């Protein structure tokens, strides 16, 4: 009952917002592409070898990726419910503000601006520039390519949400095709695959095995991270209650399917020991399939993947959350929990300011009269 009242109160605040509105132009397909684009970066092409160094059998390797997918899916169910209850731009910022306190959301917004968003995008941009220069052999410095890529995506997103979403969808489709090509080539074009036969466990069930599995889950969860950022574009979706919730679930399920098939191919072609021995398993698989030409093709796929991740980061995180938090609640006065609350109490605040100004004016006039008498 309390949660229903809280939801109704939140919706009244949202409906009372008379400020500029974002264009609602995104649908279910856009939501799915944003969710998948926020998850699939360069991690799936590199992190599997870290998992294989912690657990050493095909069953445990695939089990770690499946467990990570189930955890991400449970999180997607939670965010789907939040998206249905609070379909507002800002995502986690709005959830933290309404659930806990405006100060928590305020700190999160600054952390996203100064550390989370900027640091993550910088790292991915450097990865893109490295692969781009490896493919093209242009006589440029890494930072030049990095700045150009970020600038180009910024200009595209400034053209509007439809332009940014179209580019994001295109890059996401190319990313899926690159992963599908990797899976297909690994299964059908590698002459002598290692296979996945072998013992289920590399050591007896014990605390040590549990610790190893926990260590393997760290890169797995890193590779699955990012699906929650799709909630930032709720204010630009035509039907956020329906499409964002469905997009979260469909997108996470799609990523789990892709990750499981890719890791199956890694283990099938390279074996658990071979996977642990290479830091670039995708390139190793394609090199076995098509020699150096295959390695170059997957490098193009990784470059597209990182560029798509950057595009998704700009589309669903930065500007949308910072727009929602453009007037920090901490600076709006005590007892005011955010812009919507301030607008709801606007009449009371205006009356209070008028009374305060009237009292101040009378005090100044009395002081001047006393000075004249003195």
């Amino acid at each position: 009952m309390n949660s229903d009242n809280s939801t109704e109160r939140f919706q009244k605040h949202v409906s009372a917002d008379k400020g500029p509105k974002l264009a609602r132009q995104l649908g279910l397909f856009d939501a799915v592409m944003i969710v998948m684009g926020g998850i699939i970066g360069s991690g799936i092409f590199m992190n599997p070898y870290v998992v294989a160094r912690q657990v050493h059998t095909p069953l445990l390797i695939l089990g770690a990726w499946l467990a990570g997918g189930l955890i991400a899916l449970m999180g997607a169910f939670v965010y789907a419910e939040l998206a249905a209850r609070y379909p507002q731009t800002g995502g986690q910022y709005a959830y933290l503000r309404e659930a806990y306190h405006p100060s928590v959301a305020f700190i999160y917004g600054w952390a996203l601006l100064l550390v989370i968003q900027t640091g993550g995008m910088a790292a991915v941009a450097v990865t893109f520039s490295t692969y781009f220069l490896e493919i093209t052999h242009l006589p440029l410095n890494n930072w030049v390519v990095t700045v150009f890529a970020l600038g180009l995506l910024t200009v595209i997103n400034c053209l509007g949400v439809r332009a940014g979403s179209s580019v994001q969808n295109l890059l996401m489709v190319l990313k899926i095709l690159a992963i599908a090509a990797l899976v297909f080539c690994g299964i059908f074009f590698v002459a002598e695959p290692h296979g996945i036969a072998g013992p289920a466990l590399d050591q007896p069930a014990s605390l040590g095995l549990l610790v190893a599995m926990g260590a393997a889950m760290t890169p797995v969860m890193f590779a699955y991270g990012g699906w929650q950022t799709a909630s930032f574009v709720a204010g630009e979706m035509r039907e956020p209650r329906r499409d964002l919730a469905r997009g979260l679930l469909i997108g996470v399920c799609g990523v789990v399917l892709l990750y499981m098939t890719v890791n199956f191919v890694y283990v099938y072609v390279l074996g658990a020991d071979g996977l642990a021995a290479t830091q670039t398993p995708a390139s190793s698989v394609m090199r076995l399939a098509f020699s150096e030409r295959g390695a170059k093709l997957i490098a193009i796929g990784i470059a597209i993947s990182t560029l798509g991740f950057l595009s998704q980061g700009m589309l669903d995180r930065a500007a949308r959350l910072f727009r929602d938090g453009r007037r920090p609640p901490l600076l709006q006065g005590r007892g005011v929990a955010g812009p919507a609350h301030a607008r709801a109490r606007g009449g009371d605040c205006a009356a209070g300011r008028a009374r305060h100004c009237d009292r101040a004016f009378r005090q100044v006039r009395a002081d001047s009269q006393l000075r004249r008498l003195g």
Side-chain angles (χ1 to χ4, degrees):
M1 189 67 178
N2 292 335
S3 63
D4 293 339
N5 292 336
S6 175
T7 303
E8 292 175 4
R9 186 168 63 253
F10 180 85
Q11 292 167 353
K12 287 179 181 178
H13 294 326
V14 173
S15 62
D17 188 357
K18 303 300 182 183
K21 301 292 185 182
L22 294 171
R24 294 188 177 273
Q25 299 179 348
L26 304 181
L28 177 60
F29 179 75
D30 301 302
V32 173
M33 293 295 100
I34 289 172
V35 171
M36 297 183 72
I39 300 174
I40 304 175
S42 59
I44 188 57
F45 300 106
M46 301 177 181
N47 286 4
Y49 91 94
V50 183
V51 179
R53 287 185 175 182
Q54 301 297 329
V55 290
H56 311 293
T57 68
L59 179 64
L60 291 177
I61 293 171
L62 296 177
W65 286 96
L66 180 60
L70 293 177
I71 294 172
L73 188 59
M74 288 189 289
F77 274 109
V78 173
Y79 269 70
E81 177 66 20
L82 288 171
R85 286 179 175 267
Y86 306 122
Q88 188 192 29
T89 298
Q92 290 167 280
Y93 179 91
Y95 304 157
L96 291 172
R97 183 185 62 203
E98 295 300 320
Y100 299 106
H101 190 271
S103 61
V104 179
F106 183 68
I107 293 172
Y108 169 73
W110 277 105
L112 188 77
L113 173 64
L114 299 177
V115 181
I116 303 170
Q117 176 76 4
T118 49
M121 292 187 68
V124 176
V126 170
T127 302
F128 167 76
S129 65
T130 301
Y131 277 96
F132 179 83
L133 293 176
E134 181 182 339
I135 296 166
T136 60
H137 302 289
L138 293 176
L140 298 173
N141 291 326
N142 276 28
W143 70 267
V144 175
V145 179
T146 300
V147 171
F148 178 79
L150 292 173
L152 177 63
L153 292 174
T154 300
V155 170
I156 292 172
N157 278 273
C158 286
L159 297 177
V161 65
R162 186 71 267 168
S165 178
S166 297
V167 171
Q168 162 62 22
N169 292 347
L170 175 62
L171 292 173
M172 187 61 230
V173 170
L174 293 175
K175 193 187 302 187
I176 293 174
L177 291 176
I179 293 175
L182 172 63
V183 172
F184 183 82
C185 294
I187 294 175
F188 295 103
F189 289 94
V190 174
E192 297 180 358
H194 189 280
I196 59 171
L201 304 177
D202 60 330
Q203 56 179 295
S206 61
L207 181 60
L209 180 61
L210 184 62
V211 170
M213 197 68 178
M217 291 297 295
T218 301
V220 169
M221 296 313 302
F222 176 83
Y224 274 113
W227 48 267
Q228 70 279 3
T229 60
S231 59
F232 292 138
V233 297
E236 293 166 278
M237 301 196 68
R238 290 188 291 268
E239 297 289 342
R241 292 181 179 277
R242 181 191 66 188
D243 291 344
L244 184 54
R246 293 180 180 179
L248 280 164
L249 298 178
I250 296 172
V252 172
C253 288
V255 171
V256 173
L257 178 62
L258 287 175
Y259 278 13
M260 290 302 298
T261 54
V262 168
N263 280 280
F264 172 82
V265 168
Y266 289 157
V267 175
Y268 175 73
V269 173
L270 304 173
D273 294 336
L275 178 58
T278 175
Q279 297 186 16
T280 54
S283 297
S284 298
V285 170
M286 292 300 289
R287 189 173 287 110
L288 290 174
F290 298 112
S291 66
E292 289 302 322
R293 183 178 59 180
K296 190 169 185 177
L297 287 175
I298 199 60
I300 296 174
I302 296 174
I304 292 173
S305 180
T306 54
L307 190 64
F309 189 86
L310 287 174
S311 175
Q312 190 268 358
M314 289 188 180
L315 177 64
D316 73 355
R317 287 181 233 186
R320 278 70 181 173
L321 183 143
F322 302 141
R323 176 190 181 276
D324 188 63
R326 65 194 180 279
R327 287 173 289 181
L330 293 179
L331 305 181
Q332 293 177 355
R334 282 173 27 180
V336 181
H341 296 71
R343 284 188 290 273
R345 297 174 52 188
D348 295 339
C349 292
R353 286 194 297 270
R355 289 192 297 270
H356 176 76
C357 291
D358 185 57
R359 287 195 301 269
F361 177 74
R362 288 199 301 268
Q363 182 65 41
V364 170
R365 186 170 60 184
D367 289 344
S368 63
Q369 290 173 350
L370 288 173
R371 283 194 295 272
R372 285 200 301 270
L373 291 174

